[in-house]
Short mmCIF file of all heavy atoms in Angstrom, two decimals:
data_model
loop_
_atom_site.label_atom_id
_atom_site.label_comp_id
_atom_site.label_asym_id
_atom_site.label_seq_id
_atom_site.Cartn_x
_atom_site.Cartn_y
_atom_site.Cartn_z
N PRO J 68 2.45 16.45 -0.88
CA PRO J 68 2.90 17.58 -1.63
C PRO J 68 4.24 18.02 -0.97
O PRO J 68 4.28 18.34 0.19
CB PRO J 68 1.79 18.64 -1.53
CG PRO J 68 0.55 17.83 -1.31
CD PRO J 68 0.99 16.70 -0.44
N GLY J 69 5.30 18.24 -1.86
CA GLY J 69 6.52 18.80 -1.34
C GLY J 69 7.34 17.81 -0.58
O GLY J 69 8.40 18.14 0.01
N LYS J 70 6.97 16.50 -0.40
CA LYS J 70 7.72 15.59 0.41
C LYS J 70 8.12 14.40 -0.45
O LYS J 70 7.55 14.15 -1.50
CB LYS J 70 6.79 15.10 1.57
CG LYS J 70 6.44 16.25 2.59
CD LYS J 70 5.76 15.64 3.79
CE LYS J 70 5.52 16.70 4.83
NZ LYS J 70 4.80 16.15 6.05
N ASP J 71 9.03 13.67 0.12
CA ASP J 71 9.50 12.36 -0.67
C ASP J 71 8.45 11.37 -0.50
O ASP J 71 7.68 11.29 0.48
CB ASP J 71 10.87 11.98 0.02
CG ASP J 71 11.92 12.96 -0.32
OD1 ASP J 71 11.96 13.65 -1.27
OD2 ASP J 71 12.98 12.87 0.46
N ARG J 72 8.51 10.44 -1.45
CA ARG J 72 7.72 9.29 -1.37
C ARG J 72 8.08 8.39 -0.17
O ARG J 72 9.21 8.14 0.07
CB ARG J 72 7.83 8.43 -2.68
CG ARG J 72 6.78 7.29 -2.77
CD ARG J 72 6.80 6.62 -4.08
NE ARG J 72 8.10 6.12 -4.40
CZ ARG J 72 8.43 5.57 -5.65
NH1 ARG J 72 7.48 5.50 -6.55
NH2 ARG J 72 9.51 5.08 -5.86
N GLU J 73 7.10 7.94 0.56
CA GLU J 73 7.35 7.18 1.81
C GLU J 73 6.72 5.80 1.70
O GLU J 73 5.48 5.65 1.36
CB GLU J 73 6.66 7.98 3.01
CG GLU J 73 6.77 7.18 4.34
CD GLU J 73 5.97 7.92 5.45
OE1 GLU J 73 5.11 8.70 5.12
OE2 GLU J 73 6.28 7.64 6.65
N LEU J 74 7.43 4.75 1.97
CA LEU J 74 6.94 3.45 2.01
C LEU J 74 6.31 3.22 3.40
O LEU J 74 6.95 3.29 4.38
CB LEU J 74 8.05 2.44 1.75
CG LEU J 74 7.82 0.91 1.83
CD1 LEU J 74 6.59 0.50 1.10
CD2 LEU J 74 9.00 0.07 1.50
N ILE J 75 5.04 2.95 3.43
CA ILE J 75 4.36 2.93 4.68
C ILE J 75 3.88 1.45 5.20
O ILE J 75 3.62 1.27 6.43
CB ILE J 75 3.21 3.87 4.74
CG1 ILE J 75 2.17 3.48 3.58
CG2 ILE J 75 3.58 5.28 4.60
CD1 ILE J 75 0.82 4.22 3.69
N ALA J 76 3.75 0.57 4.26
CA ALA J 76 3.24 -0.78 4.70
C ALA J 76 3.63 -1.75 3.61
O ALA J 76 3.65 -1.49 2.46
CB ALA J 76 1.75 -0.76 4.92
N ALA J 77 3.88 -3.00 4.14
CA ALA J 77 4.24 -4.12 3.11
C ALA J 77 3.68 -5.43 3.78
O ALA J 77 3.47 -5.57 5.00
CB ALA J 77 5.75 -4.19 3.03
N ILE J 78 3.48 -6.32 2.88
CA ILE J 78 2.90 -7.67 3.19
C ILE J 78 3.54 -8.78 2.38
O ILE J 78 3.79 -8.54 1.18
CB ILE J 78 1.30 -7.63 3.09
CG1 ILE J 78 0.79 -8.97 3.68
CG2 ILE J 78 0.92 -7.36 1.70
CD1 ILE J 78 -0.76 -8.83 3.91
N SER J 79 3.87 -9.83 2.85
CA SER J 79 4.44 -10.85 2.16
C SER J 79 3.37 -11.62 1.34
O SER J 79 2.21 -11.40 1.46
CB SER J 79 5.14 -11.90 3.12
OG SER J 79 4.10 -12.46 4.06
N LYS J 80 3.86 -12.50 0.40
CA LYS J 80 2.93 -13.13 -0.46
C LYS J 80 1.91 -13.94 0.20
O LYS J 80 0.80 -14.03 -0.27
CB LYS J 80 3.79 -13.99 -1.44
CG LYS J 80 4.41 -15.29 -0.84
CD LYS J 80 4.92 -16.21 -1.91
CE LYS J 80 5.45 -17.49 -1.25
NZ LYS J 80 5.99 -18.35 -2.29
N SER J 81 2.18 -14.54 1.32
CA SER J 81 1.21 -15.39 1.94
C SER J 81 0.48 -14.69 3.18
O SER J 81 -0.20 -15.36 3.85
CB SER J 81 1.99 -16.64 2.51
OG SER J 81 2.87 -16.22 3.56
N SER J 82 0.80 -13.42 3.32
CA SER J 82 0.26 -12.62 4.43
C SER J 82 0.80 -12.95 5.83
O SER J 82 0.29 -12.61 6.88
CB SER J 82 -1.33 -12.72 4.49
OG SER J 82 -1.93 -12.34 3.30
N SER J 83 1.91 -13.84 5.75
CA SER J 83 2.46 -14.27 7.01
C SER J 83 3.23 -13.13 7.76
O SER J 83 3.39 -13.13 8.99
CB SER J 83 3.31 -15.50 6.88
OG SER J 83 4.41 -15.11 5.97
N SER J 84 3.67 -12.15 6.93
CA SER J 84 4.41 -11.08 7.56
C SER J 84 3.90 -9.71 7.02
O SER J 84 3.58 -9.64 5.84
CB SER J 84 5.94 -11.20 7.14
OG SER J 84 6.54 -12.38 7.65
N THR J 85 3.95 -8.77 7.96
CA THR J 85 3.58 -7.36 7.54
C THR J 85 4.60 -6.45 8.25
O THR J 85 5.20 -6.78 9.30
CB THR J 85 2.21 -7.03 7.96
OG1 THR J 85 2.02 -7.16 9.39
CG2 THR J 85 1.12 -7.78 7.30
N ASP J 86 4.73 -5.23 7.73
CA ASP J 86 5.58 -4.27 8.39
C ASP J 86 5.03 -2.90 8.08
O ASP J 86 4.39 -2.67 7.00
CB ASP J 86 7.05 -4.43 7.92
CG ASP J 86 7.97 -3.67 8.89
OD1 ASP J 86 7.62 -3.25 9.93
OD2 ASP J 86 9.18 -3.58 8.48
N TYR J 87 5.33 -1.95 9.03
CA TYR J 87 4.76 -0.57 8.85
C TYR J 87 5.75 0.41 9.25
O TYR J 87 6.56 0.23 10.09
CB TYR J 87 3.47 -0.42 9.75
CG TYR J 87 2.33 -1.40 9.54
CD1 TYR J 87 2.31 -2.62 10.10
CD2 TYR J 87 1.38 -1.09 8.48
CE1 TYR J 87 1.25 -3.59 9.85
CE2 TYR J 87 0.27 -1.94 8.26
CZ TYR J 87 0.27 -3.18 8.97
OH TYR J 87 -0.74 -4.02 8.76
N ALA J 88 5.55 1.58 8.53
CA ALA J 88 6.28 2.75 9.08
C ALA J 88 5.78 3.20 10.30
O ALA J 88 4.59 3.02 10.65
CB ALA J 88 6.17 3.86 7.96
N ASP J 89 6.65 3.86 11.15
CA ASP J 89 6.19 4.41 12.41
C ASP J 89 5.10 5.31 12.29
O ASP J 89 4.24 5.42 13.19
CB ASP J 89 7.43 5.06 13.09
CG ASP J 89 8.35 4.01 13.61
OD1 ASP J 89 8.09 2.81 13.69
OD2 ASP J 89 9.52 4.43 13.89
N SER J 90 4.95 6.10 11.16
CA SER J 90 4.04 7.17 10.98
C SER J 90 2.54 6.62 10.92
O SER J 90 1.63 7.34 11.14
CB SER J 90 4.35 7.94 9.75
OG SER J 90 4.39 7.13 8.54
N VAL J 91 2.44 5.33 10.54
CA VAL J 91 1.08 4.72 10.41
C VAL J 91 0.84 3.53 11.30
O VAL J 91 -0.32 2.96 11.38
CB VAL J 91 0.84 4.31 8.96
CG1 VAL J 91 1.09 5.53 8.02
CG2 VAL J 91 1.66 3.13 8.54
N LYS J 92 1.85 3.12 12.06
CA LYS J 92 1.80 1.90 12.92
C LYS J 92 0.67 2.06 13.83
O LYS J 92 0.56 3.09 14.59
CB LYS J 92 3.11 1.60 13.57
CG LYS J 92 3.24 0.20 14.06
CD LYS J 92 4.72 -0.05 14.55
CE LYS J 92 5.67 -0.02 13.41
NZ LYS J 92 7.05 -0.36 13.78
N GLY J 93 -0.23 1.07 13.98
CA GLY J 93 -1.30 1.14 14.91
C GLY J 93 -2.56 1.76 14.37
O GLY J 93 -3.66 1.62 14.96
N ARG J 94 -2.49 2.44 13.21
CA ARG J 94 -3.66 3.00 12.64
C ARG J 94 -4.04 2.39 11.21
O ARG J 94 -5.22 2.32 10.87
CB ARG J 94 -3.47 4.60 12.36
CG ARG J 94 -3.16 5.23 13.71
CD ARG J 94 -3.13 6.80 13.43
NE ARG J 94 -2.03 7.18 12.56
CZ ARG J 94 -2.22 7.83 11.37
NH1 ARG J 94 -3.48 8.18 11.00
NH2 ARG J 94 -1.19 8.10 10.63
N PHE J 95 -3.08 1.97 10.58
CA PHE J 95 -3.22 1.39 9.21
C PHE J 95 -3.00 -0.14 9.26
O PHE J 95 -2.12 -0.59 10.04
CB PHE J 95 -2.25 2.02 8.22
CG PHE J 95 -2.54 3.48 7.85
CD1 PHE J 95 -3.37 4.21 8.60
CD2 PHE J 95 -1.79 4.05 6.79
CE1 PHE J 95 -3.67 5.51 8.28
CE2 PHE J 95 -2.05 5.37 6.49
CZ PHE J 95 -2.96 6.13 7.25
N THR J 96 -3.72 -0.80 8.41
CA THR J 96 -3.57 -2.23 8.35
C THR J 96 -3.54 -2.67 6.83
O THR J 96 -4.43 -2.30 6.07
CB THR J 96 -4.65 -2.98 9.00
OG1 THR J 96 -4.74 -2.66 10.43
CG2 THR J 96 -4.42 -4.57 8.93
N ILE J 97 -2.44 -3.38 6.47
CA ILE J 97 -2.40 -3.90 5.14
C ILE J 97 -2.81 -5.35 5.13
O ILE J 97 -2.53 -6.12 6.07
CB ILE J 97 -0.95 -3.77 4.53
CG1 ILE J 97 -0.86 -4.14 3.11
CG2 ILE J 97 0.03 -4.58 5.42
CD1 ILE J 97 0.52 -3.75 2.46
N SER J 98 -3.49 -5.72 4.12
CA SER J 98 -3.97 -7.18 3.99
C SER J 98 -4.05 -7.46 2.44
O SER J 98 -3.96 -6.55 1.56
CB SER J 98 -5.35 -7.32 4.63
OG SER J 98 -6.33 -6.53 4.07
N ARG J 99 -4.23 -8.74 2.16
CA ARG J 99 -4.43 -9.15 0.77
C ARG J 99 -5.32 -10.30 0.62
O ARG J 99 -5.40 -11.15 1.51
CB ARG J 99 -2.97 -9.40 0.10
CG ARG J 99 -2.25 -10.61 0.74
CD ARG J 99 -0.87 -10.70 0.34
NE ARG J 99 -0.70 -10.98 -1.14
CZ ARG J 99 0.39 -10.77 -1.83
NH1 ARG J 99 1.47 -10.35 -1.21
NH2 ARG J 99 0.43 -11.05 -3.13
N ASP J 100 -5.91 -10.42 -0.59
CA ASP J 100 -6.73 -11.53 -0.93
C ASP J 100 -6.17 -12.08 -2.23
O ASP J 100 -6.50 -11.45 -3.29
CB ASP J 100 -8.24 -11.04 -1.06
CG ASP J 100 -9.10 -12.17 -1.37
OD1 ASP J 100 -8.69 -13.32 -1.80
OD2 ASP J 100 -10.34 -12.06 -1.12
N ASN J 101 -5.42 -13.08 -2.15
CA ASN J 101 -4.78 -13.59 -3.35
C ASN J 101 -5.75 -14.18 -4.41
O ASN J 101 -5.50 -14.19 -5.58
CB ASN J 101 -3.72 -14.71 -3.00
CG ASN J 101 -2.51 -14.06 -2.36
OD1 ASN J 101 -2.27 -12.85 -2.47
ND2 ASN J 101 -1.69 -14.85 -1.65
#
Side-chain angles (χ1 to χ4, degrees):
K70 295 187 177 180
D71 292 336
R72 186 172 62 185
E73 178 187 19
L74 175 51
I75 59 171
I78 187 167
S79 62
K80 68 172 184 176
S81 63
S82 303
S83 59
S84 299
T85 58
D86 199 8
Y87 298 91
D89 288 343
S90 57
V91 305
K92 196 172 293 183
R94 299 187 298 123
F95 291 11
T96 302
I97 188 170
S98 62
R99 65 192 294 164
D100 185 338
N101 287 343

